[in-house]
Amino acid sequence: MASHRKSRPVGTRVAGIRTPALATAALTSVALLSQSANAAPTDDKPSLEEVEKKVDDLYRQAESATDNYNAAKEKTTKQRRQVDTLLEDVAQRTQKLNEAREELGSFAAAQYRTGAAAPDTATLLLADTPQDYFDQTQLMGRLTSRQKGAVDDYVTEQSATMKKRQEASQSLQTLTETQSDLKTAKATVQKKLADARELLSELTAQEKARLAAIEQRKQQEAARKAAELAQQQAAAEKAAQEATAPQESTSTAPDSSYATKAAKALAFARAQIGKPYVWGATGPDSYDCSGLTQAAWKAAGVDLPRVTYDQVNAGTTVSLADAQPGDLVFFYDDISHVGLYIGNGMMIHAPKPGAYVREESIYYDGESAIHSVVRPA
């Protein structure tokens, strides 16, 4: 028969000593309490670093949506001009059509008054003199020829007017669709910015202070990277000058021309420092990132496209090591941000909503954020 006597609990060893079961339970409880104290909060609240990343991501998404908004706005403006031109053309053609219709009516009335049939012997008998017959014959001939021309003109004008009306109708439909895209892009930007503001509003004063400290460390690292690039570029420039010293006369005019234009663009950009970032803005009181670069290079006599993903194709791509003042520095895989390089690893840019046009390291969001460098002139 099997024994019903309970087996004696086996203790555990602590530092080689077997401990009673009760002591084991106590140690287990302490261990669990210790683990709980070190565990992450159970309310699933994101860490400060996660909040910062989320906010940065939202701002980036807002900038990308801003580019879509800018493109839709530009397209809407062009489409509206085209519609206005077509409608004005239709109005003018309609007026001509009405005039042609009135001319046909006058011919019909004249024909009715003079007789629809061609002149014949009966007409001669009605004429007082042979000269009257001749004059009447000439009149009918002219009426027939002019009437035929008027009919041809009317049919041609009617066909052209119908075609222009169809073009105007299609352009109006396209304009409606573009305006819908514009509305969607605007709503997307507003939603991203609202989400970012909500995340920041939920932070305590202490968390905001810690977030500012994190941002300061990022800026310090960005400044360090900019200084490194400045040293590298200075060394490369010195080496190039030494290598070409005997051939200084070979310096090319295009470089001088570009430097002159770049200086004008940079002077304009510096004058905008302190003005607020506003999405969709092109100055003069506020700018978004591509609005600033477009306005700066326009001051130098160079027309750039409106949005970043068009500006990136409006020049020659160069390496970061060869970047010169005035070059455009693009960021992120979706090319949603751009700044104006001023040298020494620094740029002038309109950073994001809530910020102002400022000088900043091109490494402000890390080296991996840099997409490409483009020389626009």
Side-chain angles (χ1 to χ4, degrees):
M1 177 181 290
S3 172
H4 294 286
R5 187 169 59 183
K6 293 182 179 179
S7 60
R8 187 174 180 178
V10 179
T12 58
R13 289 184 178 273
V14 177
I17 303 175
R18 186 180 298 275
T19 59
L22 186 59
T24 300
L27 287 172
T28 302
S29 299
V30 170
L32 288 174
L33 287 172
S34 177
Q35 291 174 6
S36 299
N38 295 326
T42 57
D43 58 358
D44 293 331
K45 183 177 179 180
S47 68
L48 201 57
E49 288 75 11
E50 290 172 336
V51 170
E52 183 199 30
K53 184 178 184 307
K54 182 65 175 177
V55 170
D56 287 346
D57 286 346
L58 286 169
Y59 279 139
R60 279 185 51 197
Q61 291 168 22
E63 267 203 307
S64 181
T66 296
D67 266 347
N68 294 334
Y69 170 84
N70 290 337
K73 185 177 180 180
E74 188 176 39
K75 186 177 179 182
T76 298
T77 301
K78 291 179 180 179
Q79 198 68 41
R80 187 176 287 113
R81 284 199 295 263
Q82 183 178 356
V83 167
D84 290 343
T85 300
L86 285 170
L87 289 177
E88 183 178 354
D89 192 9
V90 167
Q92 291 175 352
R93 289 181 179 277
T94 300
Q95 179 64 28
K96 290 182 180 178
L97 197 61
N98 290 336
E99 292 172 355
R101 188 181 293 110
E102 290 175 2
E103 187 177 11
L104 284 176
S106 66
F107 284 140
Q111 219 175 24
Y112 176 78
R113 287 193 302 270
T114 57
D120 53 14
T121 305
T123 307
L124 176 61
L125 294 176
L126 294 175
D128 293 335
T129 64
Q131 184 63 44
D132 290 340
Y133 174 79
F134 179 77
D135 292 342
Q136 190 174 10
T137 301
Q138 291 297 312
L139 173 64
M140 290 301 296
R142 288 196 301 272
L143 279 175
T144 303
S145 176
R146 289 180 61 190
Q147 185 178 22
K148 183 178 183 302
V151 170
D152 290 342
D153 290 344
Y154 178 82
V155 171
T156 300
E157 195 63 41
Q158 186 181 44
S159 176
T161 301
M162 290 294 293
K163 182 178 180 180
K164 286 297 180 181
R165 283 176 178 170
Q166 290 175 352
E167 289 181 15
S169 177
Q170 292 173 352
S171 290
L172 280 171
Q173 182 178 353
T174 302
L175 176 59
T176 301
E177 294 170 354
T178 306
Q179 287 175 327
S180 177
D181 293 341
L182 183 64
K183 184 178 180 181
T184 300
K186 182 177 181 179
T188 301
V189 175
Q190 292 174 328
K191 177 66 168 60
K192 299 298 182 184
L193 295 180
D195 288 346
R197 286 192 295 267
E198 183 179 356
L199 277 173
L200 291 173
S201 68
E202 293 174 352
L203 297 178
T204 65
Q206 184 179 8
E207 288 174 329
K208 289 180 180 178
R210 288 172 55 202
L211 192 62
I214 292 174
E215 181 64 23
Q216 185 178 15
R217 287 196 297 271
K218 284 177 60 178
Q219 292 297 323
Q220 290 171 347
E221 175 62 17
R224 185 187 67 78
K225 292 288 293 182
E228 283 184 1
L229 179 61
Q231 291 175 352
Q232 293 169 4
Q233 290 179 330
E237 184 178 356
K238 182 179 179 181
Q241 289 176 347
E242 292 175 351
T244 59
Q247 307 170 357
E248 287 181 353
S249 59
T250 62
S251 60
T252 59
D255 288 340
S256 176
S257 174
Y258 178 77
T260 300
K261 293 178 182 178
K264 292 179 180 179
L266 289 172
F268 179 92
R270 285 194 175 93
Q272 313 314 308
I273 289 176
K275 293 183 179 180
Y277 175 105
V278 175
W279 63 273
T282 56
D285 299 322
S286 57
Y287 297 89
D288 62 18
C289 65
S290 57
L292 176 63
T293 52
Q294 183 188 47
W297 270 102
K298 186 175 181 63
V302 177
D303 290 326
L304 293 181
R306 174 64 183 92
V307 296
T308 53
Y309 48 77
D310 287 333
Q311 289 184 4
V312 75
N313 296 316
T316 304
T317 301
V318 298
S319 68
L320 183 58
D322 293 330
Q324 294 181 12
D327 291 350
L328 302 177
V329 185
F330 294 91
F331 298 86
Y332 312 117
D333 291 339
D334 59 357
I335 319 174
S336 57
H337 189 69
V338 61
L340 195 66
Y341 191 64
I342 61 176
N344 297 325
M346 302 292 288
M347 66 178 172
I348 297 174
H349 70 147
K352 60 185 178 182
Y356 297 84
V357 176
R358 65 194 184 202
E359 290 188 11
E360 193 164 28
S361 167
I362 60 173
Y363 298 102
Y364 80 107
D365 202 20
E367 187 172 1
S368 62
I370 299 174
H371 177 275
S372 57
V373 180
V374 171
R375 189 158 299 153

